[in-house]
Amino acid sequence: MVRSRTYTREEFQTIREEDSVSRASTADPINRPRGREPVRFDVGIDGGADSEDTEITYRVGTVDGGESTRVNVPTNNYQDKGRAIIRFGARGSDPSEFIWPRGIAVSRADQVYVADSSNHRVQVFDNIGTFIKSFGSYGQADGEFDCLAGVAFNTMGDILITDRYNHRVQVFDHNCNFKFEFGEEGAGDGQMNYPWGIACDSMGFIYVCDKENHRVQVFQSNGIFARKFGSLGRNVGQFENPHYLAISADNKVYVSDSSNHRIQVFSMYGDYIFHFGSVGTMQGQMKYPKGICIDDQGFVVVADSGNNRIQVFRGDGRFYCMFGSYGSDNGQFKGLEGLTVLANGNVAVCDRENHRIQIF
């Protein structure tokens, strides 16, 4: 049996605190107090983070045989992230200024790397937005960029950059020294046409959103072509302008299929698994999704760029919550691009047309 009821934010917080106190005992079926059902938090957060009438719906219940079940609740408090705690950046070319920031990633040292696209450089900050250094300049030589887009780290701590208008990927060591590059303009295997998002799986394979070729290409850690999947279209397994991708702990590949207004999920071998999202403005709907990342609990955070908001989903695609709106004030966006989750659970977002980074 499953019961549903809507609670206010205050009631929700009280229940969550009470539940955390008894979590140790309820986790053990032998010591679980009779009559107590673990709280199951479910989809259903209505209203903005600052709304006084925000309501949170959850369900409690048991499955056959009396065993209690619990739905994972994120520790990152996404429902409370309506306003940024840190904002930095403005349009310009000085340190901590940006022109169209796009990709963003966090290193193992919890430093934030931003693809400052039209300044043709990567800027590096600590996790509260203090400038540390930058590298790169305009050009086509090793270590130079032409409107870079995606940033990622491999298992060795190397930095991988999609050099968009040079139609290649460049790889740097953890000290930002150039190591090697791969890719060239074209539609053949290993060739690229405006590569955008990039990610690495736990085995070191490199996944690249080959945007204008409407596919994902996979490379070995040394840049050798391994496989590809996708083609232009609207059917499942096809793409139209894929922008970013993220890889879960179990090596599922989540791709923001931007012009199809959805997220598609594949195995590491490119086998279609499922998708979620459709064009629109309602909860779970999207317009031109861009950045995507997955936190350490498997929650999927999506930059719903055309709706100027961030949506959070469970790993199976069920909507959890959202925040953000159009504008230039705190917590507002103009043209979202990349995003990432920091070690402390904060979400760092490239607010592209406001030429800034916001951290929630």
Side-chain angles (χ1 to χ4, degrees):
M1 181 182 70
V2 176
R3 306 193 302 273
S4 294
R5 177 185 169 190
T6 299
Y7 285 76
T8 66
R9 183 176 294 278
E10 289 75 17
E11 291 172 325
F12 172 85
Q13 185 63 35
T14 299
I15 292 169
R16 183 164 61 179
E17 291 172 354
E18 290 175 351
D19 186 66
S20 65
V21 170
S22 61
R23 187 165 296 172
S25 61
T26 59
D28 183 352
I30 297 176
N31 296 320
R32 181 180 298 137
R34 288 187 177 182
R36 176 167 179 84
E37 295 173 329
V39 177
R40 178 177 177 177
F41 300 91
D42 207 347
V43 174
I45 296 181
D46 300 316
D50 299 323
S51 173
E52 294 181 357
D53 59 353
T54 297
E55 293 183 336
I56 301 171
T57 301
Y58 70 85
R59 298 186 299 166
V60 295
T62 58
V63 297
D64 293 342
E67 289 297 325
S68 296
T69 60
R70 183 187 303 277
V71 170
N72 199 21
V73 180
T75 58
N76 293 337
N77 298 321
Y78 292 114
Q79 67 271 21
D80 296 325
K81 293 186 181 296
R83 292 180 63 82
I85 57 174
I86 297 168
R87 292 178 293 166
F88 60 96
R91 186 181 178 95
S93 300
D94 290 335
S96 299
E97 294 181 334
F98 305 99
I99 301 179
W100 312 113
R102 295 190 185 275
I104 188 169
V106 60
S107 71
R108 289 183 292 187
D110 210 29
Q111 293 180 342
V112 179
Y113 286 62
V114 179
D116 186 7
S117 182
S118 292
N119 280 322
H120 315 289
R121 66 186 179 184
V122 176
Q123 294 199 67
V124 184
F125 305 86
D126 67 15
N127 62 5
I128 60 172
T130 305
F131 175 81
I132 298 174
K133 61 183 175 182
S134 67
F135 63 96
S137 60
Y138 176 75
Q140 293 75 43
D142 295 347
E144 296 179 336
F145 303 108
D146 190 353
C147 294
L148 64 164
V151 184
F153 292 90
N154 65 15
T155 54
M156 302 298 293
D158 292 333
I159 311 156
L160 295 86
I161 311 290
T162 51
D163 189 4
R164 193 165 39 130
Y165 288 177
N166 285 325
H167 308 284
R168 65 183 178 181
V169 172
Q170 295 195 64
V171 181
F172 300 79
D173 67 19
H174 67 281
N175 290 317
C176 307
N177 299 311
F178 174 84
K179 291 183 68 175
F180 65 94
E181 65 173 57
F182 59 93
E184 62 180 4
E185 185 173 8
D189 293 348
Q191 295 180 324
M192 306 175 191
N193 196 357
Y194 300 103
W196 215 281
I198 188 167
C200 290
D201 68 17
S202 60
M203 292 177 287
F205 283 96
I206 303 166
Y207 298 72
V208 178
C209 277
D210 189 2
K211 176 179 171 287
E212 295 296 322
N213 284 324
H214 310 286
R215 64 186 181 184
V216 172
Q217 293 200 71
V218 186
F219 300 86
Q220 299 176 34
S221 59
N222 59 3
I224 301 299
F225 174 83
R227 54 186 175 271
K228 62 186 177 184
F229 56 93
S231 60
L232 176 61
R234 297 182 178 181
N235 295 328
V236 296
Q238 294 184 311
F239 302 111
E240 186 173 353
N241 299 315
H243 268 80
Y244 289 90
L245 72 170
I247 301 174
S248 66
D250 58 352
N251 286 326
K252 290 187 178 69
V253 185
Y254 290 67
V255 183
S256 59
D257 185 8
S258 187
S259 295
N260 283 325
H261 314 288
R262 64 187 178 184
I263 305 299
Q264 293 201 72
V265 184
F266 301 83
S267 75
M268 62 182 293
Y269 301 107
D271 301 313
Y272 169 83
I273 301 175
F274 67 95
H275 72 275
F276 56 96
S278 60
V279 63
T281 60
M282 303 298 289
Q283 293 179 350
Q285 294 183 323
M286 309 171 189
K287 288 184 177 180
Y288 303 101
K290 297 285 182 68
I292 183 170
C293 66
I294 302 173
D295 72 12
D296 58 3
Q297 289 183 283
F299 284 82
V300 183
V301 187
V302 177
D304 185 4
S305 185
N307 286 320
N308 293 289
R309 66 188 181 186
I310 293 170
Q311 296 200 66
V312 183
F313 300 85
R314 301 186 188 279
D316 60 6
R318 286 180 296 150
F319 172 84
Y320 181 76
C321 70
M322 63 185 179
F323 57 93
S325 60
Y326 176 81
S328 300
D329 291 338
N330 188 317
Q332 295 184 323
F333 307 106
K334 287 185 179 180
L336 281 159
E337 195 86 11
L339 48 73
T340 191
V341 176
L342 308 183
N344 59 10
N346 291 338
V347 181
V349 183
C350 287
D351 187 4
R352 185 187 69 235
E353 293 178 28
N354 284 320
H355 309 284
R356 67 182 179 182
I357 305 299
Q358 297 195 69
I359 299 178
F360 298 85

